[in-house]
Amino acid sequence: MDKNKDNSFLNRYYQEYKLRDRIRLSLILSMVLYPSFLILDAIVTPSRLRAFLIIRLVVILINATQLFSLRFLKTSKSLLNMGMSLLVIDACGISLMVFLMGGFASFYYQGLTLVIMVMMVILPFSFKEAAITMSLAWATYFIPSLFIINGQSAALRAVARLFNLSEEIQGWRIAVNNLFFLTSIIIIAIIASSVMDNVRRRELRSRIKLEETTARLQESNVKLKSLDELKTQFFSNVNHELRTPLTLILAPLKAVLEGRMGKLSPTHKDTLETMQRNGYKLLKLISNLLDLNKLEEGRMRLRLKNVNLVDFIPPLLAAVKPLADQRQVRLYCQNPPHPVDLTLDPDQFEKVVFNLLSNALKFTSKGGKITIYVEEKDRTVTMTVEDTGIGIPEDMLETIFDRFSQVDGSKSRAQAGTGIGLALAREIVLVHKGSIRAESELGRGSRFIVEMLKGEEHFDDEVLDRRSEDMPIGLRRRLTDTNEPHVRDIVSDFRRRQLVDLEKVDIESGRVDKAKIHDALILCIDDNPEVLKLMKMLLADDYDLELVSSAEKGLAFLKAKNPDLVLCDVMMPGMDGHAFARAVKKDESLKHIPVILVTARTGAEMLAEGMQAGADDYISKPFDSTELKARIRGQLRLRQMEAELSLVNRNLRMRTSDLVDQQKSLFLSTVKSLASAIDAKDGYTSHHSTRVTEFTVKIAKKMGISGKELGDLELAALLHDVGKIAVPESVLNKPGKLTDEEFELIKDHPVRGESILSPVVELKEIARIVRSHHERYDGTGYPDKLKGRVIPLGSRIMAIADTYDSITSERPYRRPASHRFAVKEIIGCSGTQFDPEVVAHFLETASTFVPNQGQDQEEEAKKA
Ligand code: ADP
């Protein structure tokens, strides 16, 4: 593929640079120059004239043969070969003469220089070709001359003698000089050939590229032309296919509205009027687009009439008057007191006036003024529409006449429009050979000046309506299509139709309540009252509605009333739908409210933007009522399910924690009853646990323990002997000395106590205290031989309380001892059995302890 490309490029290259002609020229030049140098031979070396004549003749003969065979060469390669051989042959001839004249020392080497220079300029050699041929030429000079060097030629000697030099030295110098020059020239010629070759190739390449681009352009031009034809065809079809159904909607609608098909209820009438108004809007838009297209393609034909502008303007103003009144804008007209005649197409010119007037009305606020001036000059008439509206920025004064151009191109434009009104007006004025321009002061008002030529000579012949034959066939067919309904026939006030987009629709904002099937409150936000009206019509039966005309108002309502869902338009003046959705979703107290955005634009980008803003759903206009309702239902249902789910979750959490509490208290009461069972089982130690608890708490409080820690300790004290449940009663109550086994059995009770309590997570700490209540401060206790502060504090306290009660109460094996004795015993064991610090606190509170024996004695006394 690439090789083919290369080959075709080379062929083109040699063709472009006329290789054949150049070789022919070189041959001819060689055949002319070779004999002409005989003159030089005759002067410089008359003795060798004959020999040189023969040499020159031979070369010319070869050249002639080459010239003859040139016509038989077909490929560029063979042509190139011939070029190369030509140079070598010419060089051979000269070198032979140089050789005969003494080799290196001969001045005839300059003949070689001449040949090389001429060929370099004429023949388009590449680097490789130049290098081969020139090296060969050099060799024809260099090799034969080598043989003469030793013999010191006669010529060398003669030259040396002439300059009075030592022959040997001078001969060498001249030879080196000649060789040096010739070699340098050859090197330069090779480089120059290659540079020139590159330049030529680059030039050709860009030429080829240019040709390719031109070809492509031509191709697209052809395509564009056919597309253009298609567009024309399409527009003429649109004319029929869109306008016809639209007219067929509007015509019966008009009949229905006029009451020809029975009386209408106010709601029906209202709805049908909305349909009619919007039908007109569409019709106007299509007509404008078609007109503009016709004008731009030069297909607009004018039906000229003579019109007196003074009579022409007032009916147009009258048509605008009701709308101007509605907007509280005053209308004025200033005419000269005499008729002002103009030749124009009244239907078209009317569009210009209406467009200017409707813009003036659109952009002038309440209390403003619009004036039309008609002025006559020598050869022209001007009509000026002046308003006191918002004005136009200076840099936009030109561009507003471009198609689709609007001053505030943002999506939040406060005034509806398409940006074709002024483009159409300008085109119409231009076919009339008039001019239109705008002047304005921002914030003060605008002035549109239309200047028309008087007379009719200036009209181009081809724009005049003669039902011209050069129309596309499709259009011609349409023109003769008699079935097409005429707009004028179905629009009662044709002129008012031009201003349909200015009509004010009143929709009372606020709450709409009816008997609902769902009692959800939906907030609808749209700057277009007709859309709000439509929503009311579609949704009022099912939901409570709040209708507002801006996102700002919507946000305020949202904060005050917390509705269940929001339907919000995207493109609105001021805050748009996306900004609204963002504001709602950013607010913690509002973000749960679903927001559905409604937009006329479609496309993935728009959707992504909406979703990014936090909208919950998206619906595009025109929406279908079933779809709208389904989306609303979906969102409401989702929210309801979410709310239900979170309620269920909360209940579940509460129930779980109740259950845990119940379980805990159940366990505790079981364990407590166990503890009292033990106290009961151990006849002698009755109420032991209760007393130990009392003492423990007293000491702990002295130590500053409180809160949960104190509670845990209290429980631990109450349950400290729960492990004794596993010790047989006979052992517990044995009056005599215990055997080793029996003692081991008793010593096991702290561990058992722990294992009874530890299954309940909340009792883990209590279990640890219980396990260690028989540990001793010096590390000789049981079960773990813990030492010092490693023993839990609670256990250290309990150990003292336990010992105090044991000493002061009766045991099967001994009588109860006195309080003083017990205190003394405990002091004696401080630092060995007990923690000295706890002992100190015990001593502070011990006086409040009531020993068991006292109680028992009292009880016995009572019994007695
Ligand atoms: P549109 O349908 O948007 O009104 P036009 O071509 O009629 O299209 O107008 C183009 C733009 O020029 C308008 O959108 C508006 O920004 C600006 N414009 C036209 N007339 C006036 C005016 N009387 N006062 C202020 N601005 C105007």
Side-chain angles (χ1 to χ4, degrees):
M1 182 76 185
D2 273 358
K3 207 155 182 177
N4 280 346
K5 231 174 160 181
D6 280 356
N7 273 340
S8 72
F9 176 78
L10 277 182
N11 285 338
R12 171 86 192 268
Y13 179 66
Y14 292 122
Q15 230 168 36
E16 275 300 311
Y17 289 97
K18 300 199 168 72
L19 184 60
R20 192 182 294 275
D21 293 351
R22 282 164 184 264
I23 290 173
R24 187 177 297 121
L25 177 66
S26 317
L27 284 167
I28 293 169
L29 265 177
S30 168
M31 286 163 71
V32 172
L33 287 176
Y34 241 83
S36 59
F37 272 75
L38 268 174
I39 303 167
L40 191 68
D41 297 344
I43 299 166
V44 177
T45 171
S47 58
R48 295 189 182 91
L49 190 61
R50 246 191 45 212
F52 281 19
L53 178 69
I54 294 170
I55 293 173
R56 289 184 192 277
L57 279 177
V58 170
V59 171
I60 294 169
L61 207 67
I62 298 175
N63 286 165
T65 323
Q66 283 182 305
L67 193 60
F68 175 74
S69 54
L70 190 60
R71 73 191 62 180
F72 303 112
L73 300 183
K74 292 280 175 262
T75 62
S76 36
K77 188 146 179 73
S78 53
L79 284 170
L80 261 182
N81 287 341
M82 164 138 354
M84 288 163 76
S85 64
L86 163 67
L87 195 143
V88 177
I89 287 161
D90 280 6
C92 280
I94 295 168
S95 294
L96 190 56
M97 290 187 262
V98 168
F99 177 73
L100 293 177
M101 285 180 74
F104 287 131
S106 165
F107 296 112
Y108 259 43
Y109 81 92
Q110 278 167 356
L112 280 179
T113 314
L114 196 68
V115 170
I116 286 167
M117 283 301 168
V118 171
M119 299 297 172
M120 180 192 85
V121 173
I122 298 179
L123 297 177
F125 283 148
S126 68
F127 174 79
K128 191 173 134 198
E129 291 141 10
I132 293 172
T133 29
M134 308 226 179
S135 308
L136 280 174
W138 183 82
T140 62
Y141 167 77
F142 183 75
I143 297 169
S145 297
L146 268 185
F147 292 104
I148 314 180
I149 275 184
N150 285 338
Q152 287 285 314
S153 74
L156 265 179
R157 280 199 302 273
V159 172
R161 239 179 276 130
L162 190 67
F163 291 99
N164 206 6
L165 300 164
S166 143
E167 281 175 16
E168 204 164 322
I169 296 171
Q170 293 314 314
W172 273 105
R173 286 203 175 144
I174 291 163
V176 169
N177 170 65
N178 291 354
L179 191 62
F180 198 86
F181 269 108
L182 184 69
T183 311
S184 314
I185 282 167
I186 282 182
I187 292 172
I188 291 168
I190 293 173
I191 294 171
S193 286
S194 138
V195 170
M196 272 153 58
D197 180 57
N198 278 338
V199 171
R200 281 191 297 259
R201 277 169 198 254
R202 210 172 320 137
E203 194 260 344
L204 181 62
R205 260 189 215 112
S206 26
R207 198 134 40 90
I208 290 174
K209 229 179 222 155
L210 198 71
E211 283 167 9
E212 281 170 2
T213 317
T214 317
R216 267 206 300 274
L217 273 177
Q218 269 165 356
E219 203 178 308
S220 6
N221 200 12
V222 171
K223 265 193 202 148
L224 271 178
K225 263 194 189 144
S226 77
L227 268 179
D228 205 44
E229 267 165 34
L230 270 179
K231 192 183 105 190
T232 310
Q233 186 72 40
F234 170 76
F235 266 99
S236 59
N237 285 348
V238 161
N239 186 21
H240 190 259
E241 307 304 339
L242 277 184
R243 267 217 292 216
T244 308
L246 201 55
T247 354
L248 292 176
I249 292 171
L250 287 172
L253 209 54
K254 188 181 155 210
V256 174
L257 272 168
E258 281 168 358
R260 278 189 254 161
M261 300 185 185
K263 213 169 147 25
L264 292 175
S265 74
T267 338
H268 281 143
K269 191 155 184 270
D270 203 34
T271 313
L272 292 176
E273 272 170 0
T274 308
M275 286 165 72
Q276 191 188 43
R277 221 174 7 255
N278 286 286
Y280 287 169
K281 267 192 207 175
L282 206 55
L283 196 60
K284 182 188 165 193
L285 186 65
I286 295 169
S287 306
N288 278 353
L289 266 174
L290 287 170
D291 281 348
L292 192 60
N293 188 58
K294 261 191 199 169
L295 281 161
E296 283 181 346
E297 295 202 329
R299 289 193 291 106
M300 172 67 82
R301 301 289 172 264
L302 298 179
R303 292 187 205 175
L304 296 180
K305 279 190 189 147
N306 260 328
V307 171
N308 172 11
L309 268 196
V310 174
D311 292 340
F312 184 77
I313 306 276
L316 303 186
L317 274 180
V320 182
K321 182 92 171 60
L323 287 173
D325 287 347
Q326 215 179 41
R327 298 187 165 231
Q328 299 179 25
V329 172
R330 288 159 293 147
L331 289 179
Y332 296 98
C333 184
Q334 281 197 14
N335 295 324
H338 51 81
V340 177
D341 287 328
L342 261 185
T343 306
L344 44 74
D345 180 333
D347 283 348
Q348 299 304 329
F349 198 71
E350 190 177 290
K351 286 180 197 159
V352 176
V353 181
F354 270 124
N355 269 310
L356 296 181
L357 276 177
S358 83
N359 276 345
L361 266 176
K362 229 193 286 185
F363 299 103
T364 304
S365 45
K366 211 160 127 180
K369 185 171 106 175
I370 299 171
T371 317
I372 296 195
Y373 300 92
V374 176
E375 289 160 283
E376 192 173 22
K377 294 181 184 156
D378 266 359
R379 301 188 48 228
T380 58
V381 173
T382 58
M383 181 197 70
T384 307
V385 178
E386 189 185 83
D387 64 55
T388 57
I390 58 169
I392 302 160
E394 191 161 350
D395 58 331
M396 293 292 294
L397 286 175
E398 284 289 322
T399 47
I400 46 168
F401 292 102
D402 293 343
R403 204 197 263 224
F404 309 128
S405 152
Q406 297 181 320
V407 169
D408 175 11
S410 84
K411 31 186 178 174
S412 300
R413 294 186 79 246
Q415 291 298 333
T418 48
I420 58 172
L422 287 179
L424 181 64
R426 181 180 60 181
E427 291 297 328
I428 294 175
V429 172
L430 287 182
V431 272
H432 282 86
K433 293 286 164 175
S435 68
I436 181 168
R437 64 177 198 280
E439 291 172 359
S440 176
E441 214 178 316
L442 208 57
R444 307 285 299 267
S446 318
R447 190 179 304 127
F448 285 82
I449 302 146
V450 180
E451 192 161 11
M452 305 288 281
L453 290 172
K454 287 185 189 166
E456 49 187 85
E457 309 76 48
H458 51 275
F459 287 105
D460 287 338
D461 220 19
E462 62 268 25
V463 303
L464 303 180
D465 185 11
R466 303 210 167 91
R467 292 280 137 158
S468 61
E469 283 75 48
D470 59 343
M471 280 185 188
I473 296 171
L475 199 72
R476 233 185 290 163
R477 186 162 48 81
R478 301 290 176 225
L479 276 176
T480 52
D481 194 343
T482 47
N483 287 336
E484 187 179 346
H486 286 284
V487 178
R488 277 176 190 269
D489 300 340
I490 48 114
V491 181
S492 44
D493 184 351
F494 178 68
R495 284 184 173 151
R496 288 271 315 257
R497 183 178 64 81
Q498 299 279 347
L499 301 160
V500 67
D501 46 350
L502 290 175
E503 277 180 31
K504 201 170 145 217
V505 179
D506 286 319
I507 166 96
E508 27 0 310
S509 294
R511 194 67 168 266
V512 182
D513 285 314
K514 283 195 185 170
K516 313 290 159 344
I517 37 177
H518 311 287
D519 53 1
L521 170 60
I522 296 181
L523 169 66
C524 304
I525 310 174
D526 204 309
D527 61 319
N528 184 340
E530 295 205 334
V531 177
L532 286 181
K533 221 165 161 179
L534 176 67
M535 286 184 175
K536 181 175 156 186
M537 198 179 87
L538 296 180
L539 302 174
D541 284 344
D542 296 350
Y543 303 99
D544 286 346
L545 297 179
E546 175 76 21
L547 309 174
V548 301
S549 59
S550 74
E552 288 85 354
K553 285 184 198 162
L555 214 52
F557 178 82
L558 214 59
K559 283 176 183 156
K561 290 284 153 63
N562 212 5
D564 299 285
L565 185 141
V566 186
L567 276 173
C568 180
D569 186 29
V570 172
M571 278 171 272
M572 286 184 292
M575 184 191 247
D576 70 6
H578 291 147
F580 173 81
R582 257 194 301 278
V584 172
K585 297 299 163 184
K586 225 170 53 197
D587 191 325
E588 275 305 317
S589 63
L590 303 179
K591 70 181 202 193
H592 63 281
I593 303 174
V595 176
I596 303 181
L597 289 178
V598 186
T599 178
R601 290 203 202 170
T602 49
E605 214 172 281
M606 196 71 180
L607 194 97
E609 202 183 337
M611 291 302 174
Q612 234 168 36
D616 296 86
D617 205 349
Y618 222 91
I619 186 161
S620 48
K621 291 182 202 166
F623 46 77
D624 157 88
S625 74
T626 327
E627 189 190 356
L628 178 71
K629 284 182 185 174
R631 299 271 178 116
I632 293 177
R633 261 201 311 276
Q635 283 299 328
L636 287 177
R637 179 114 193 78
L638 208 67
R639 282 310 127 131
Q640 195 187 347
M641 271 157 63
E642 269 172 24
E644 278 169 10
L645 210 66
S646 87
L647 196 72
V648 168
N649 251 335
R650 221 177 39 231
N651 282 344
L652 219 62
R653 259 203 310 277
M654 268 160 56
R655 299 251 311 138
T656 313
S657 101
D658 278 0
L659 271 174
V660 169
D661 284 353
Q662 268 179 23
Q663 202 187 17
K664 213 158 81 184
S665 72
L666 202 69
F667 180 82
L668 272 182
S669 61
T670 313
V671 175
K672 275 183 187 164
S673 51
L674 264 180
S676 48
I678 296 154
D679 275 1
K681 184 173 163 186
D682 187 347
Y684 292 93
T685 62
S686 76
H687 302 301
H688 169 67
S689 302
T690 328
R691 283 190 310 273
V692 170
T693 307
E694 182 197 332
F695 301 151
T696 304
V697 169
K698 278 184 172 165
I699 303 171
K701 278 186 178 162
K702 262 279 169 269
M703 292 182 79
I705 296 171
S706 61
K708 178 175 183 312
E709 209 183 338
L710 186 67
D712 280 356
L713 190 52
E714 187 180 357
L715 209 54
L718 196 62
L719 300 175
H720 75 281
D721 272 345
V722 75
K724 282 190 180 161
I725 200 93
V727 184
E729 221 166 304
S730 56
V731 179
L732 276 180
N733 291 333
K734 187 169 175 183
K737 204 169 179 309
L738 293 174
T739 64
D740 283 350
E741 281 148 38
E742 283 166 345
F743 192 57
E744 280 305 316
L745 216 54
I746 291 214
K747 265 170 82 178
D748 204 25
H749 81 270
V751 178
R752 285 183 184 266
E754 185 208 12
S755 57
I756 290 172
L757 299 174
S758 55
V760 182
V761 183
E762 284 81 358
L763 299 183
K764 276 263 185 294
E765 181 54 30
I766 293 166
R768 210 165 67 89
I769 298 173
V770 169
R771 183 183 173 97
S772 300
H773 79 276
H774 275 291
E775 296 290 355
R776 292 168 58 114
Y777 196 67
D778 57 5
T780 57
Y782 63 87
D784 300 311
K785 296 200 172 11
L786 300 181
K787 196 172 174 183
R789 291 177 170 248
V790 179
I791 305 164
L793 177 63
S795 313
R796 278 179 272 146
I797 298 172
M798 225 157 71
I800 294 176
D802 195 15
T803 305
Y804 176 86
D805 189 63
S806 297
I807 295 175
T808 55
S809 54
E810 188 173 354
R811 289 289 151 116
Y813 41 89
R814 65 163 163 73
R815 304 240 348 119
S818 70
H819 171 75
R820 279 183 59 195
F821 178 77
V823 172
K824 248 167 89 182
E825 271 298 290
I826 289 170
I827 294 172
C829 294
S830 171
T832 50
Q833 190 175 347
F834 306 118
D835 178 354
E837 198 187 323
V838 184
V839 172
H841 286 104
F842 159 74
L843 291 178
E844 280 173 35
T845 181
S847 59
T848 65
F849 287 15
V850 181
N852 182 29
Q853 75 243 50
Q855 264 177 20
D856 287 349
Q857 279 163 2
E858 266 172 40
E859 269 169 29
E860 267 162 27
K862 271 185 201 157
K863 274 181 204 160

